[in-house]
């Protein structure tokens, strides 16, 4: 009997209509756990390095995590993996909601799509019954509307449906996959799904899922429950509101947006409005949010409430998640939050990433104001800020006029438009739009996180280590006093020694060696979460979360029956991390790609940055080009990867 996982993947060939229930090798769970880990292994084995995003050979994999469907709180992430049309690398956006648990209860750990359907279809998974259904009547429908129509058609209101909107059908590079109160947003999963002619994947499951040692698992969850209750009643002092508790983060519960609105950049990631959170704006934004939010909501088996059912003024209800509540207003320089609530509903129906898309629209406005785009490009566009953004959103999603160019994202659009537009592409890393942060002094920890993580998204790598030094020694001592989540006591000393100013301040402290250890810890936690299907908001993203390196192994062991200790768990996620790295190296990614934009920080230190990369690469067991060495690959039982990289000349024979 398999525990925690079902032991079966669902393989669907869209070209032939062949559907197979395939038993998986339990050894893969021992080597990679599940979720992202085992999906990366499938891509390595089956996707050739020259495969492009819209090639029929590109796999699209919807994966549960190892703990999805178990009583583990917040184990509800679905990991969607594919070669991205934006980065040309292996992407893995995640969505919360209820979809992954439903797939587990239907009897599958993953759904693997290959090839392309000759017509628009949706997939209906109902336990052992799996159908490829015609979706021609859903063409052009919104992502939210599609979910409702499919449930009505199936006469199954409890079905969980992941769907694309018009953006996915038109292969917009920032197209998302929308589902429940969540979405797999970044790097173009919706575009790949649309290219394969899949409108939606609906699932309903009623089967059991087994735990190896259920009583032991529930005792461990009692400890997690106790900690969640403690943290909810005892927020961390001296940090920003969204970091004081747990959740992903609980943006819809909190109305205080002083930090985001005054520290994040407005427009095309250009303007920092340090005095925005005035009394009138605070009152306006707070009232708008409280009036619009009808109730707070959670994902599957989660005690927190990070999302909300929203009913904006003169618009239909929808479920809003996280930072999307700010992005359109800030990008458009519209000070009224009601605009954001209205346009986000439209954008969610279209199915677009609410981080990247507003930046693309702001980029177009900036080019227009600079005279690079002309009145001809904006013919028919309203002159007011709100109308202009809505008009641009429509053009991008429909790939009409200038929207057809913008739909490929800022990086590609800038180069296609030319005439100096490249200078306005100042917030992308590896061709992907970043959070609109432009800061003062180089931060060495964030330099490494921004540059090197495979997600290409800072929110999926930052976490348990504080974002900045505490002003006083007393605050630092108070923070480390109950910091049980650290893997090693030395991290407490790093925080104690870290000063806002002076010799022990950024950019030279933490030192490159310390930064390497900190970033390795952060990414290790995220890779564990992404294998288990845990929400980062309850683990790797929080300062002091209920899940951490000391209880992960116990939970995994009780759930699966595998006896894993901390060292063994670290090796497993390092194995998957290096396999993912090698996959992207095989596609051409090298050190030259691992650089934040030139103006990301006002004060840059080129020599220090090169030292940071070199030190981190050495710490990770990678060569000077950022490629895992043969020695490192052999340590991680990745002999076949070392052989492949040597055969291709990516690793020189005998090179370490």
């Amino acid at each position: 009997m398999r525990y925690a996982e079902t032991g079966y993947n669902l393989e669907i060939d869209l070209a032939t209509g062949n559907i197979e229930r395939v038993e998986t090798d339990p050894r893969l769970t021992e080597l990679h756990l599940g979720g992202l880990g085992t999906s990366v292994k499938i891509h390595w084995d089956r996707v050739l390095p020259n495969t492009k995003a819209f090639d029929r050979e590109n796999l699209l994999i919807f994966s549960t995590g190892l703990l999805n469907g178990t009583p583990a709180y917040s184990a509800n992430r679905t990991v969607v993996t594919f070669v991205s049309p934006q980065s040309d690398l292996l992407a893995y956006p995640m969505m919360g909601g209820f979809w992954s648990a439903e797939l587990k209860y239907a009897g599958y750990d993953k759904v693997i799509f290959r090839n392309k359907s000759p017509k628009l279809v949706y997939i209906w998974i109902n336990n052992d019954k799996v159908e490829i259904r015609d979706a021609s009547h859903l063409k052009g429908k919104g992502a939210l509307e599609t979910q409702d129509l499919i449930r009505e058609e199936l006469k199954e209101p409890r079905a969980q449906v992941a769907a694309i909107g018009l953006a996915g059908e038109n292969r917009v590079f920032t197209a998302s996959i929308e589902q429940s109160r969540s979405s797999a947003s970044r790097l173009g999963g919706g575009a790949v799904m649309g290219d394969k002619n899949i409108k939606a994947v609906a699932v309903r499951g009623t089967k059991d899922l087994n735990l190896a040692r259920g009583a032991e698992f529930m005792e461990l969850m009692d400890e997690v429950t106790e900690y969640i209750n403690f943290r909810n009643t005892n927020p961390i002092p001296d940090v920003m509101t969204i970091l004081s508790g747990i959740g992903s983060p609980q943006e819809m519960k909190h109305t205080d947006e002083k930090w985001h609105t005054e520290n994040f950049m407005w427009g095309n990631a250009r303007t920092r409005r340090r005095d925005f959170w005035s009394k009138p704006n605070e009152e306006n934004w707070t009232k708008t949010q409280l009036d619009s939010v009808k109730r707070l909501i959670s994902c599957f088996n989660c005690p927190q409430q990070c999302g909300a059912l929203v009913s904006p003024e003169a618009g239909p209800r929808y479920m809003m998640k996280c930072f999307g509540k700010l992005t359109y207003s800030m990008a458009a320089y519209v000070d009224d939050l009601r605009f954001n609530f209205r346009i986000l509903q439209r954008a969610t129906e279209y199915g677009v990433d609410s981080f990247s898309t507003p930046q693309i629209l702001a980029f177009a406005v900036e080019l227009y104001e600079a005279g690079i785009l002309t009145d001809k490009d904006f013919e028919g566009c309203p002159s007011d800020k709100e109308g202009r953004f809505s008009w641009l959103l429509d053009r991008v999603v429909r790939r009409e006029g200038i929207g057809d160019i913008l739909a490929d994202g800022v990086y590609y659009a800038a180069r296609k438009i030319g005439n100096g537009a490249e200078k306005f592409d100042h917030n992308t890393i590896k061709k992907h739009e970043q959070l609109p942060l432009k800061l003062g002094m180089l931060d060495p920890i964030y330099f490494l996180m921004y540059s090197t993580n495979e997600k290409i998204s800072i929110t999926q790598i930052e976490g348990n280590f504080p974002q900045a030094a505490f002003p006083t020694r007393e605050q630092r001592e108070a923070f480390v006093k109950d910091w049980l989540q650290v893997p090693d006591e030395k991290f407490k000393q790093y925080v104690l020694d870290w000063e806002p100013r002076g010799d022990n301040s950024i950019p030279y402290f933490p030192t490159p060696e310390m930064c390497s250890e900190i970033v390795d810890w952060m990414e290790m936690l995220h890779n564990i979460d992404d294998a288990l299907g845990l929400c980062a908001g309850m683990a790797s993203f929080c300062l002091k979360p209920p899940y951490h390196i000391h209880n992960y192994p116990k939970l995994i062991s009780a759930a699966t029956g595998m006896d894993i200790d901390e060292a063994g768990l670290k090796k497993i996620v390092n194995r998957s991390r290096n396999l993912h790295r090698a996959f992207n190296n095989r596609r051409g990614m090298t050190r030259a790609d691992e650089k934040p934009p030139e103006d990301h920080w006002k004060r840059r230190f080129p020599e220090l940055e090169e030292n940071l990369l070199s030190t981190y690469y050495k710490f990770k067991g990678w060569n000077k080009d950022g490629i895992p060495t043969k020695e490192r690959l052999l340590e991680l039982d990745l002999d076949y990867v070392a052989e492949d990289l040597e055969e291709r000349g990516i690793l020189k024979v005998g090179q370490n």
Side-chain angles (χ1 to χ4, degrees), residues 67-76 96-102 105 298-303:
L67 294 185
N68 288 157
T70 73
Y73 292 131
S74 307
N76 50 46
F98 294 74
W99 198 93
S100 59
E102 203 71 32
Y105 298 148
S298 305
C299 294
F300 174 82
N301 197 28
C302 182

Side-chain angles (χ1 to χ4, degrees), residues 66 80 150 162 200 226 249 289 343 366 387 395 444 512 522 533 576 600:
L66 188 60
V80 185
I150 286 177
E226 183 179 354
Q289 182 168 329
I343 194 172
E366 198 169 46
R395 302 286 88 68
M522 298 299 95
S576 297
H600 203 83

Side-chain angles (χ1 to χ4, degrees), residues 70 160 243 250 391 484 584 619:
T70 73
Q160 298 302 315
L243 293 181
Q250 295 183 69
W391 182 87
L484 59 89
N584 285 339
F619 181 87

Side-chain angles (χ1 to χ4, degrees), residues 517-582:
E517 294 172 340
I518 293 165
V519 173
D520 181 68
W521 171 29
M522 298 299 95
E523 71 167 25
M524 174 188 70
L525 296 178
H526 279 281
N527 274 273
I528 294 171
D529 287 350
D530 299 345
L532 301 182
L534 276 170
C535 171
M538 292 287 274
S540 51
F541 183 77
C542 296
L543 287 175
K544 294 181 178 180
Y547 295 112
H548 46 79
I549 190 59
H550 305 306
N551 63 9
Y552 280 131
K554 298 174 185 177
L555 286 161
I556 296 168
S557 298
T560 65
M562 300 187 298
D563 290 320
I564 294 176
D565 57 15
E566 291 183 22
L569 179 57
K570 290 176 183 177
K571 183 174 182 178
I572 290 171
V573 294
N574 269 318
R575 179 182 296 121
S576 297
R577 167 72 165 106
N578 279 269
L579 182 61
H580 195 159
R581 182 77 178 185

Side-chain angles (χ1 to χ4, degrees), residues 146-428:
T146 294
Q147 295 175 47
D148 290 338
L149 288 171
I150 286 177
R151 291 191 189 98
E152 184 179 335
E153 182 175 309
L154 295 172
K155 295 181 175 56
E156 181 49 84
R158 293 169 295 182
Q160 298 302 315
V161 185
I164 59 172
L166 197 57
E169 290 182 32
N170 290 331
R171 303 198 306 185
V172 174
F173 283 15
T174 60
S176 57
I177 302 169
E178 300 290 332
Q179 174 264 142
S180 183
R181 55 132 304 198
S182 189
S183 62
S185 296
R186 304 192 198 174
L187 291 165
V192 174
M193 191 164 160
D195 180 67
K196 292 188 177 297
N197 257 334
I198 307 169
K199 182 65 177 177
V201 186
V203 59
R204 174 74 178 129
T206 58
K207 297 183 180 182
D208 292 330
L209 191 65
N210 299 296
L211 296 176
R213 302 192 292 270
E216 179 184 332
F217 189 89
M218 295 310 297
E219 287 177 6
L220 291 166
M221 288 309 302
D222 286 342
E223 296 176 9
V224 171
T225 304
E226 183 179 354
Y227 184 87
I228 290 171
N229 292 335
F230 167 78
R231 182 54 64 211
N232 282 339
T233 54
N234 295 274
I236 301 168
D238 303 319
V239 298
M240 69 182 79
T241 304
I242 62 168
L243 293 181
S244 63
I246 47 181
S248 67
Q250 295 183 69
E251 277 282 310
M252 302 312 301
K253 180 175 287 188
H254 300 305
T255 59
D256 180 0
E257 291 297 348
K258 178 178 176 61
W259 192 89
H260 278 136
T261 56
E262 295 189 348
N263 288 280
F264 278 34
M265 309 298 279
W266 292 59
N268 182 22
R270 293 282 192 189
T271 307
R272 191 171 180 181
R273 302 174 68 182
R274 294 179 181 272
D275 58 350
F276 176 79
W277 202 244
S278 63
K279 191 67 175 176
N281 282 337
E282 179 184 3
E283 290 175 354
N284 173 275
W285 282 43
T286 299
K287 185 178 187 306
T288 296
Q289 182 168 329
L290 294 179
D291 287 347
S292 299
V293 172
K294 300 310 172 186
R295 62 183 173 89
L296 298 172
I297 55 178
S298 305
C299 294
F300 174 82
N301 197 28
C302 182
Q304 305 304 92
Q305 295 173 313
C306 301
L309 178 64
V310 170
S311 182
E313 182 181 276
R317 292 189 176 195
Y318 66 104
M319 289 184 278
M320 182 185 287
K321 60 268 184 188
C322 198
F323 190 56
K325 81 174 187 184
L326 307 179
T327 51
Y328 285 92
S329 282
M330 292 180 68
Y333 290 105
V334 174
D335 292 355
D336 190 341
L337 186 61
R338 288 177 296 181
F339 164 68
N340 203 103
F341 278 53
R342 288 194 301 270
I343 194 172
L344 186 58
Q345 190 279 333
R346 188 176 192 161
T348 304
E349 279 285 18
Y350 280 149
V352 287
D353 175 14
S354 61
F355 283 78
S356 293
T357 309
Q359 287 188 48
I360 296 169
L361 307 184
F363 163 76
V365 171
E366 198 169 46
L367 292 186
Y368 181 60
E369 292 174 345
I372 295 173
L373 291 179
T374 67
D375 288 338
K376 183 178 179 181
D377 297 310
F378 275 63
E379 185 177 357
C381 178
S383 59
D384 66 291
K385 294 176 182 178
E386 296 187 16
R388 188 166 56 183
F389 246 56
S390 297
W391 182 87
L392 279 168
L393 176 62
D394 292 346
R395 302 286 88 68
V396 168
V397 166
R398 298 178 185 280
R399 282 191 173 270
E400 294 176 352
I402 189 61
D404 190 32
I405 297 173
L406 297 172
D408 289 347
V410 170
Y411 177 87
Y412 293 108
R415 281 143 189 82
K416 190 165 185 178
I417 293 168
N419 195 27
E422 296 89 344
K423 293 180 181 179
F424 294 80
D425 168 23
H426 62 94
N427 201 42
T428 60

Side-chain angles (χ1 to χ4, degrees), residues 15 21 61 71 117 147 316 322 349 478 495 526 534 553 587 590-591:
R21 180 172 179 261
I61 303 178
S117 171
Q147 295 175 47
C322 198
E349 279 285 18
V495 169
H526 279 281
L534 276 170
R587 298 187 65 81
T590 66
R591 183 185 187 123

